[in-house]
Amino acid sequence: MKALTEPIKELGIYDDLRRSLNKKGITGVTGLTDSARTVFSYALTEGIRLFIASDPVRAQQIEEEAFLFGREVYRYPARDMMFYQADLSGNMLLRQRMQALKALYEYRRNGDGEGLTMITTFDALMERTAPASSITENLLLMKNGDVLDTEEFAKKLTDLGYERSPEAEEPGQYAIRGGIVDVYPLTEDNPVRIELWGDEIDSIREYDALSQRSIEKLENVVIYPATDLVTDEDMRLGARVKIMEEEERVYESLRKEMKTEAAFRLKSYSDQICEALLMGININLSPYIGYLYERTESLLDLINGPDVSIIIDEPARCEEKGHAVWQEWSDSLIHRIETGHMLPGEGNVLISAEEVFAKLMSFPVLAASMISLHHEDYKYAAEYSVNSQAISSYNNSFDQLRSDLERYKKRKSRVVILSP
């Protein structure tokens, strides 16, 4: 959309901004309305763009605007850390996260394209994640002529977070019926059917889940995990041992403090988790990431690379959001541990807002906002000011629109109409 970005390249500060954004650190640009922040970001950056919003509503607005500049736009939503035990939204949020990660890894592997845009919220950057290798090293690639052991394949799919079902009707499910294997990859719009001749793959085709009609024959298929926390039996059993050891320590501590109800509640809760890990029952593993992985990362670690530019939308709001999330989580953590609703190790799922900003300093960052504010967690390496204005809706009043356009023309203003 050069019609939108070219006027920005004519600004006197454009070259200085570009030079500033070629360096690590945070460059501030103030005076930008909501839509202007998106346009400025695309005019100043390229490659992989990571937009950081303060809340999901603003993230959705940026997503809608970003589609004007290309189709490779993905949302990476945050987990609901306060209610992580309840699967309130099904696979929807997880599917969005995995689609974004798949797009990132494939863009890096292919090394070309029009660019990639990921949109997230600040609290998503605070989450501890599994290392990138847990996904990239667990892709299932199958092609015509390959030998496929269905029992081993089913076990692998289960380790990757897929659920066995009579039919693969929903993303994240698979079904095996004789020589037919159906898999509905979490990252795809349609399931695939693998037909076997003996133990050899005879055909692979994409099909419609409702009508069962074939859409396209495929030479090969790559199946991404149905979880961003890929584990195997050894990892789950290792986590079980750690949970049991911590349960014993905390249980005795609560007993000594005469908190018997909390102690028995904790024991009952952790015993259920240990049984699920032992039996391989599909549960939400997010709270137990610290028990499962020796090393954890964050989204900023996963996306890190020389081709990345980061845009913080209204950094003051993001900073405020980060501190609020950290405080709310910390207060909740203390209460839950004291009442036996969780183990201390389950609290190691977030990093602080200060740590996030420290990580951001290793990227070229554009902090786009309407007004300039002092920030506790960081300082601008450079700061620039522009003057952008949003115009009101004219509700089919073309005479008023023409009048205003003539007025803007006399003032030598540039008018950019941004409408998703």
mmCIF file of all heavy atoms in Angstrom, residues 304-334:
data_model
loop_
_atom_site.group_PDB
_atom_site.id
_atom_site.type_symbol
_atom_site.label_atom_id
_atom_site.label_comp_id
_atom_site.label_asym_id
_atom_site.label_seq_id
_atom_site.Cartn_x
_atom_site.Cartn_y
_atom_site.Cartn_z
ATOM 1 N N ASN A 304 13.430 -13.842 18.088
ATOM 2 C CA ASN A 304 14.691 -13.097 17.985
ATOM 3 C C ASN A 304 15.437 -13.393 16.686
ATOM 4 O O ASN A 304 15.545 -14.537 16.257
ATOM 5 C CB ASN A 304 15.588 -13.442 19.177
ATOM 6 C CG ASN A 304 16.801 -12.536 19.254
ATOM 7 O OD1 ASN A 304 16.790 -11.422 18.748
ATOM 8 N ND2 ASN A 304 17.849 -13.016 19.901
ATOM 9 N N GLY A 305 15.934 -12.325 16.057
ATOM 10 C CA GLY A 305 16.697 -12.469 14.819
ATOM 11 C C GLY A 305 16.982 -11.105 14.222
ATOM 12 O O GLY A 305 16.372 -10.101 14.592
ATOM 13 N N PRO A 306 17.911 -11.040 13.264
ATOM 14 C CA PRO A 306 18.289 -9.752 12.675
ATOM 15 C C PRO A 306 17.214 -9.157 11.776
ATOM 16 O O PRO A 306 17.309 -7.983 11.391
ATOM 17 C CB PRO A 306 19.541 -10.099 11.858
ATOM 18 C CG PRO A 306 19.385 -11.547 11.528
ATOM 19 C CD PRO A 306 18.690 -12.158 12.700
ATOM 20 N N ASP A 307 16.206 -9.947 11.416
ATOM 21 C CA ASP A 307 15.157 -9.475 10.514
ATOM 22 C C ASP A 307 13.905 -9.012 11.253
ATOM 23 O O ASP A 307 12.840 -8.864 10.656
ATOM 24 C CB ASP A 307 14.782 -10.580 9.527
ATOM 25 C CG ASP A 307 14.404 -11.884 10.231
ATOM 26 O OD1 ASP A 307 14.627 -11.996 11.458
ATOM 27 O OD2 ASP A 307 13.909 -12.801 9.553
ATOM 28 N N VAL A 308 14.017 -8.756 12.563
ATOM 29 C CA VAL A 308 12.852 -8.442 13.387
ATOM 30 C C VAL A 308 12.828 -6.965 13.763
ATOM 31 O O VAL A 308 13.843 -6.398 14.178
ATOM 32 C CB VAL A 308 12.839 -9.297 14.677
ATOM 33 C CG1 VAL A 308 11.671 -8.896 15.576
ATOM 34 C CG2 VAL A 308 12.754 -10.771 14.328
ATOM 35 N N SER A 309 11.666 -6.359 13.604
ATOM 36 C CA SER A 309 11.410 -5.014 14.120
ATOM 37 C C SER A 309 10.212 -5.094 15.057
ATOM 38 O O SER A 309 9.237 -5.803 14.764
ATOM 39 C CB SER A 309 11.107 -4.030 12.988
ATOM 40 O OG SER A 309 12.221 -3.859 12.152
ATOM 41 N N ILE A 310 10.280 -4.382 16.157
ATOM 42 C CA ILE A 310 9.212 -4.423 17.144
ATOM 43 C C ILE A 310 8.555 -3.060 17.258
ATOM 44 O O ILE A 310 9.241 -2.032 17.295
ATOM 45 C CB ILE A 310 9.752 -4.896 18.506
ATOM 46 C CG1 ILE A 310 10.225 -6.349 18.395
ATOM 47 C CG2 ILE A 310 8.696 -4.758 19.595
ATOM 48 C CD1 ILE A 310 10.784 -6.924 19.658
ATOM 49 N N ILE A 311 7.239 -3.055 17.292
ATOM 50 C CA ILE A 311 6.482 -1.825 17.427
ATOM 51 C C ILE A 311 5.648 -1.905 18.701
ATOM 52 O O ILE A 311 4.809 -2.808 18.836
ATOM 53 C CB ILE A 311 5.554 -1.585 16.215
ATOM 54 C CG1 ILE A 311 6.370 -1.554 14.915
ATOM 55 C CG2 ILE A 311 4.766 -0.303 16.397
ATOM 56 C CD1 ILE A 311 6.385 -2.857 14.150
ATOM 57 N N ILE A 312 5.884 -1.004 19.627
ATOM 58 C CA ILE A 312 5.084 -0.938 20.853
ATOM 59 C C ILE A 312 4.018 0.133 20.648
ATOM 60 O O ILE A 312 4.336 1.313 20.463
ATOM 61 C CB ILE A 312 5.918 -0.603 22.094
ATOM 62 C CG1 ILE A 312 7.111 -1.536 22.225
ATOM 63 C CG2 ILE A 312 5.052 -0.682 23.346
ATOM 64 C CD1 ILE A 312 7.978 -1.238 23.438
ATOM 65 N N ASP A 313 2.771 -0.256 20.685
ATOM 66 C CA ASP A 313 1.664 0.673 20.539
ATOM 67 C C ASP A 313 1.306 1.248 21.911
ATOM 68 O O ASP A 313 0.950 0.499 22.817
ATOM 69 C CB ASP A 313 0.462 -0.061 19.937
ATOM 70 C CG ASP A 313 -0.716 0.850 19.687
ATOM 71 O OD1 ASP A 313 -0.757 1.477 18.621
ATOM 72 O OD2 ASP A 313 -1.588 0.935 20.579
ATOM 73 N N GLU A 314 1.408 2.564 22.039
ATOM 74 C CA GLU A 314 1.164 3.249 23.314
ATOM 75 C C GLU A 314 1.967 2.574 24.441
ATOM 76 O O GLU A 314 1.416 1.868 25.286
ATOM 77 C CB GLU A 314 -0.322 3.276 23.652
ATOM 78 C CG GLU A 314 -1.139 4.214 22.786
ATOM 79 C CD GLU A 314 -0.810 5.692 23.030
ATOM 80 O OE1 GLU A 314 -0.014 5.981 23.945
ATOM 81 O OE2 GLU A 314 -1.340 6.543 22.300
ATOM 82 N N PRO A 315 3.274 2.771 24.465
ATOM 83 C CA PRO A 315 4.132 2.081 25.442
ATOM 84 C C PRO A 315 3.748 2.334 26.893
ATOM 85 O O PRO A 315 3.932 1.456 27.741
ATOM 86 C CB PRO A 315 5.533 2.621 25.126
ATOM 87 C CG PRO A 315 5.311 3.865 24.340
ATOM 88 C CD PRO A 315 4.049 3.657 23.581
ATOM 89 N N ALA A 316 3.220 3.524 27.197
ATOM 90 C CA ALA A 316 2.833 3.807 28.586
ATOM 91 C C ALA A 316 1.723 2.857 29.043
ATOM 92 O O ALA A 316 1.730 2.361 30.175
ATOM 93 C CB ALA A 316 2.381 5.256 28.720
ATOM 94 N N ARG A 317 0.769 2.601 28.157
ATOM 95 C CA ARG A 317 -0.312 1.674 28.500
ATOM 96 C C ARG A 317 0.212 0.249 28.617
ATOM 97 O O ARG A 317 -0.238 -0.522 29.478
ATOM 98 C CB ARG A 317 -1.414 1.742 27.443
ATOM 99 C CG ARG A 317 -2.181 3.056 27.431
ATOM 100 C CD ARG A 317 -3.291 3.027 26.407
ATOM 101 N NE ARG A 317 -4.005 4.292 26.346
ATOM 102 C CZ ARG A 317 -4.975 4.572 25.487
ATOM 103 N NH1 ARG A 317 -5.342 3.637 24.609
ATOM 104 N NH2 ARG A 317 -5.569 5.746 25.499
ATOM 105 N N CYS A 318 1.139 -0.128 27.736
ATOM 106 C CA CYS A 318 1.729 -1.465 27.818
ATOM 107 C C CYS A 318 2.493 -1.640 29.123
ATOM 108 O O CYS A 318 2.401 -2.691 29.780
ATOM 109 C CB CYS A 318 2.657 -1.700 26.628
ATOM 110 S SG CYS A 318 1.805 -1.900 25.039
ATOM 111 N N GLU A 319 3.254 -0.621 29.499
ATOM 112 C CA GLU A 319 4.015 -0.670 30.740
ATOM 113 C C GLU A 319 3.080 -0.801 31.940
ATOM 114 O O GLU A 319 3.297 -1.629 32.844
ATOM 115 C CB GLU A 319 4.851 0.604 30.857
ATOM 116 C CG GLU A 319 5.835 0.615 32.017
ATOM 117 C CD GLU A 319 6.667 1.886 32.011
ATOM 118 O OE1 GLU A 319 6.205 2.919 31.481
ATOM 119 O OE2 GLU A 319 7.781 1.839 32.550
ATOM 120 N N GLU A 320 2.011 -0.024 31.927
ATOM 121 C CA GLU A 320 1.021 -0.091 33.009
ATOM 122 C C GLU A 320 0.361 -1.462 33.066
ATOM 123 O O GLU A 320 0.170 -2.026 34.148
ATOM 124 C CB GLU A 320 -0.032 0.994 32.787
ATOM 125 C CG GLU A 320 -1.107 1.048 33.860
ATOM 126 C CD GLU A 320 -2.148 2.113 33.573
ATOM 127 O OE1 GLU A 320 -2.009 2.839 32.563
ATOM 128 O OE2 GLU A 320 -3.113 2.214 34.359
ATOM 129 N N LYS A 321 0.036 -2.000 31.899
ATOM 130 C CA LYS A 321 -0.581 -3.330 31.829
ATOM 131 C C LYS A 321 0.360 -4.390 32.393
ATOM 132 O O LYS A 321 -0.068 -5.273 33.159
ATOM 133 C CB LYS A 321 -0.922 -3.653 30.375
ATOM 134 C CG LYS A 321 -1.444 -5.062 30.133
ATOM 135 C CD LYS A 321 -2.827 -5.245 30.705
ATOM 136 C CE LYS A 321 -3.401 -6.593 30.291
ATOM 137 N NZ LYS A 321 -4.772 -6.801 30.808
ATOM 138 N N GLY A 322 1.630 -4.316 32.033
ATOM 139 C CA GLY A 322 2.595 -5.295 32.510
ATOM 140 C C GLY A 322 2.715 -5.305 34.017
ATOM 141 O O GLY A 322 2.714 -6.369 34.650
ATOM 142 N N HIS A 323 2.807 -4.132 34.614
ATOM 143 C CA HIS A 323 2.919 -4.057 36.070
ATOM 144 C C HIS A 323 1.637 -4.534 36.754
ATOM 145 O O HIS A 323 1.694 -5.182 37.806
ATOM 146 C CB HIS A 323 3.237 -2.621 36.500
ATOM 147 C CG HIS A 323 4.641 -2.207 36.181
ATOM 148 N ND1 HIS A 323 5.742 -2.816 36.753
ATOM 149 C CD2 HIS A 323 5.138 -1.253 35.356
ATOM 150 C CE1 HIS A 323 6.848 -2.257 36.298
ATOM 151 N NE2 HIS A 323 6.511 -1.309 35.438
ATOM 152 N N ALA A 324 0.475 -4.227 36.150
ATOM 153 C CA ALA A 324 -0.796 -4.668 36.732
ATOM 154 C C ALA A 324 -0.918 -6.185 36.698
ATOM 155 O O ALA A 324 -1.356 -6.808 37.675
ATOM 156 C CB ALA A 324 -1.959 -4.021 35.975
ATOM 157 N N VAL A 325 -0.532 -6.794 35.580
ATOM 158 C CA VAL A 325 -0.584 -8.256 35.462
ATOM 159 C C VAL A 325 0.351 -8.909 36.466
ATOM 160 O O VAL A 325 -0.020 -9.879 37.133
ATOM 161 C CB VAL A 325 -0.217 -8.700 34.024
ATOM 162 C CG1 VAL A 325 0.028 -10.207 33.960
ATOM 163 C CG2 VAL A 325 -1.316 -8.308 33.053
ATOM 164 N N TRP A 326 1.557 -8.365 36.597
ATOM 165 C CA TRP A 326 2.530 -8.934 37.529
ATOM 166 C C TRP A 326 2.032 -8.830 38.974
ATOM 167 O O TRP A 326 2.152 -9.793 39.742
ATOM 168 C CB TRP A 326 3.870 -8.216 37.370
ATOM 169 C CG TRP A 326 4.941 -8.749 38.275
ATOM 170 C CD1 TRP A 326 5.411 -8.192 39.425
ATOM 171 C CD2 TRP A 326 5.665 -9.979 38.109
ATOM 172 N NE1 TRP A 326 6.388 -8.971 39.983
ATOM 173 C CE2 TRP A 326 6.562 -10.082 39.196
ATOM 174 C CE3 TRP A 326 5.641 -10.978 37.148
ATOM 175 C CZ2 TRP A 326 7.424 -11.157 39.335
ATOM 176 C CZ3 TRP A 326 6.497 -12.056 37.305
ATOM 177 C CH2 TRP A 326 7.378 -12.140 38.382
ATOM 178 N N GLN A 327 1.461 -7.687 39.329
ATOM 179 C CA GLN A 327 0.980 -7.492 40.692
ATOM 180 C C GLN A 327 -0.205 -8.408 40.982
ATOM 181 O O GLN A 327 -0.273 -9.040 42.044
ATOM 182 C CB GLN A 327 0.567 -6.027 40.910
ATOM 183 C CG GLN A 327 0.208 -5.687 42.356
ATOM 184 C CD GLN A 327 1.374 -5.888 43.298
ATOM 185 O OE1 GLN A 327 2.461 -5.362 43.058
ATOM 186 N NE2 GLN A 327 1.183 -6.655 44.362
ATOM 187 N N GLU A 328 -1.124 -8.489 40.031
ATOM 188 C CA GLU A 328 -2.296 -9.341 40.224
ATOM 189 C C GLU A 328 -1.886 -10.809 40.350
ATOM 190 O O GLU A 328 -2.406 -11.538 41.200
ATOM 191 C CB GLU A 328 -3.261 -9.158 39.047
ATOM 192 C CG GLU A 328 -4.555 -9.944 39.187
ATOM 193 C CD GLU A 328 -5.493 -9.738 38.016
ATOM 194 O OE1 GLU A 328 -5.033 -9.191 36.980
ATOM 195 O OE2 GLU A 328 -6.665 -10.136 38.116
ATOM 196 N N TRP A 329 -0.947 -11.222 39.502
ATOM 197 C CA TRP A 329 -0.486 -12.607 39.558
ATOM 198 C C TRP A 329 0.239 -12.890 40.869
ATOM 199 O O TRP A 329 0.025 -13.932 41.485
ATOM 200 C CB TRP A 329 0.416 -12.894 38.364
ATOM 201 C CG TRP A 329 1.057 -14.256 38.407
ATOM 202 C CD1 TRP A 329 2.375 -14.546 38.567
ATOM 203 C CD2 TRP A 329 0.396 -15.518 38.303
ATOM 204 N NE1 TRP A 329 2.587 -15.891 38.555
ATOM 205 C CE2 TRP A 329 1.386 -16.517 38.403
ATOM 206 C CE3 TRP A 329 -0.938 -15.890 38.133
ATOM 207 C CZ2 TRP A 329 1.074 -17.870 38.333
ATOM 208 C CZ3 TRP A 329 -1.242 -17.245 38.073
ATOM 209 C CH2 TRP A 329 -0.251 -18.213 38.168
ATOM 210 N N SER A 330 1.083 -11.978 41.312
ATOM 211 C CA SER A 330 1.844 -12.174 42.549
ATOM 212 C C SER A 330 0.906 -12.283 43.745
ATOM 213 O O SER A 330 1.078 -13.145 44.616
ATOM 214 C CB SER A 330 2.825 -11.021 42.747
ATOM 215 O OG SER A 330 3.749 -10.943 41.682
ATOM 216 N N ASP A 331 -0.090 -11.398 43.810
ATOM 217 C CA ASP A 331 -1.050 -11.437 44.924
ATOM 218 C C ASP A 331 -1.846 -12.736 44.900
ATOM 219 O O ASP A 331 -2.066 -13.364 45.944
ATOM 220 C CB ASP A 331 -2.001 -10.243 44.843
ATOM 221 C CG ASP A 331 -1.300 -8.915 45.096
ATOM 222 O OD1 ASP A 331 -0.171 -8.925 45.620
ATOM 223 O OD2 ASP A 331 -1.876 -7.863 44.750
ATOM 224 N N SER A 332 -2.276 -13.145 43.724
ATOM 225 C CA SER A 332 -3.040 -14.379 43.600
ATOM 226 C C SER A 332 -2.185 -15.584 43.960
ATOM 227 O O SER A 332 -2.661 -16.529 44.607
ATOM 228 C CB SER A 332 -3.564 -14.517 42.167
ATOM 229 O OG SER A 332 -4.133 -15.791 41.951
ATOM 230 N N LEU A 333 -0.918 -15.538 43.580
ATOM 231 C CA LEU A 333 -0.003 -16.645 43.841
ATOM 232 C C LEU A 333 0.145 -16.896 45.339
ATOM 233 O O LEU A 333 0.052 -18.039 45.807
ATOM 234 C CB LEU A 333 1.358 -16.324 43.220
ATOM 235 C CG LEU A 333 2.462 -17.368 43.345
ATOM 236 C CD1 LEU A 333 2.067 -18.635 42.609
ATOM 237 C CD2 LEU A 333 3.774 -16.812 42.799
ATOM 238 N N ILE A 334 0.349 -15.843 46.079
ATOM 239 C CA ILE A 334 0.503 -15.972 47.534
ATOM 240 C C ILE A 334 -0.732 -16.608 48.147
ATOM 241 O O ILE A 334 -0.644 -17.537 48.972
ATOM 242 C CB ILE A 334 0.776 -14.590 48.163
ATOM 243 C CG1 ILE A 334 2.135 -14.063 47.687
ATOM 244 C CG2 ILE A 334 0.744 -14.677 49.688
ATOM 245 C CD1 ILE A 334 2.400 -12.627 48.081
#
